[in-house]
Amino acid sequence: LIFLSPNIVFGEPIEIHIIDQLDEHRGYCLDIKGYKLKAKVNQGLQAHTCYSYQGAIAVDQGFDPIKLIKNEFYLPAFAVCMEAKSLSASAPLRLRECNYSKLQQFTWDKSGRIQTTNEQTFCLTMAQGESQKGRGGSPVHQKRNLTLETCSKRLKKFQLWGARKNNSKS
């Protein structure tokens, strides 16, 4: 995987973050809605302030780097995979038991876009506009919705993702 930093240790969880930090200097990471071990898998994924600034990757943001090589976006602490609700524009991202269905097949291309494998016109996209305030952190954490949207230059800063461990830079 070209987008992985050279300091990634296989087996150690990594966070997937948006490349452009926008309004959040700590960055936005893929995150299960809810709080760390109390995250609510049935509520799906969001973009949330990365927790690695605290010194470690939180369990609700930690993806398995070995599974990522196989294009499986797996969160080992919860034994679930990222899944699109449908292969269509504006479809939200949810979490389900891994089953290798078309809705769970994503490809991370060399440019940093995460696309649906079976419909490569759609990219994982962080919501534009104002972020919503979270409940914790200092300053308060920020969050944004995630959807599939048509891959485009116009949405580039909301569609380019990287991976890193702990508080390392990608």
Side-chain angles (χ1 to χ4, degrees):
L1 296 173
I2 293 171
F3 53 87
L4 290 178
S5 300
N7 59 353
I8 298 295
V9 176
F10 288 103
E12 184 178 323
I14 61 169
E15 63 186 8
I16 298 171
H17 64 96
I18 197 81
I19 299 295
D20 190 322
Q21 294 179 331
L22 301 168
D23 61 349
E24 176 52 80
H25 72 278
R26 297 163 291 188
Y28 285 97
C29 285
L30 296 185
D31 176 82
I32 301 173
K33 292 181 181 181
Y35 181 71
K36 296 187 181 181
L37 283 171
K38 296 179 183 177
K40 297 172 173 63
V41 172
N42 61 341
Q43 291 186 9
L45 281 173
Q46 63 185 350
H48 186 280
T49 300
C50 299
Y51 286 115
S52 58
Y53 76 92
Q54 298 173 337
I57 293 174
V59 295
D60 59 341
Q61 294 182 352
F63 286 81
D64 183 323
I66 295 169
K67 300 247 185 199
L68 275 174
I69 291 170
K70 300 173 186 171
N71 292 318
E72 188 175 346
F73 288 74
Y74 176 69
L75 291 134
F78 297 89
V80 292
C81 284
M82 179 170 80
E83 178 179 284
K85 187 172 182 181
S86 66
L87 295 178
S88 59
S90 301
L93 281 293
R94 59 190 184 185
L95 297 163
R96 296 288 187 267
E97 184 178 320
C98 302
N99 60 21
Y100 311 105
S101 72
K102 287 182 180 182
L103 297 175
Q104 290 183 1
Q105 294 176 17
F106 295 89
T107 303
W108 203 335
D109 74 17
K110 293 177 185 177
S111 72
R113 285 193 167 99
I114 299 171
Q115 301 171 311
T116 54
T117 303
N118 294 288
E119 188 60 51
Q120 292 188 337
T121 57
F122 295 118
C123 286
L124 177 62
T125 307
M126 187 173 78
Q128 304 171 59
E130 292 288 317
S131 59
Q132 302 166 355
K133 292 200 182 300
R135 294 189 177 162
S138 181
V140 174
H141 292 150
Q142 302 295 311
K143 59 186 178 178
R144 292 173 182 245
N145 289 330
L146 292 169
T147 56
L148 292 180
E149 300 299 338
T150 302
C151 303
S152 72
K153 287 182 182 178
R154 184 180 63 81
L155 294 173
K156 183 177 179 179
K157 67 181 175 178
F158 302 99
Q159 294 179 335
L160 295 183
W161 301 88
R164 62 186 174 208
K165 67 173 186 139
N166 290 330
N167 205 13
S168 61
K169 299 292 180 198
S170 60

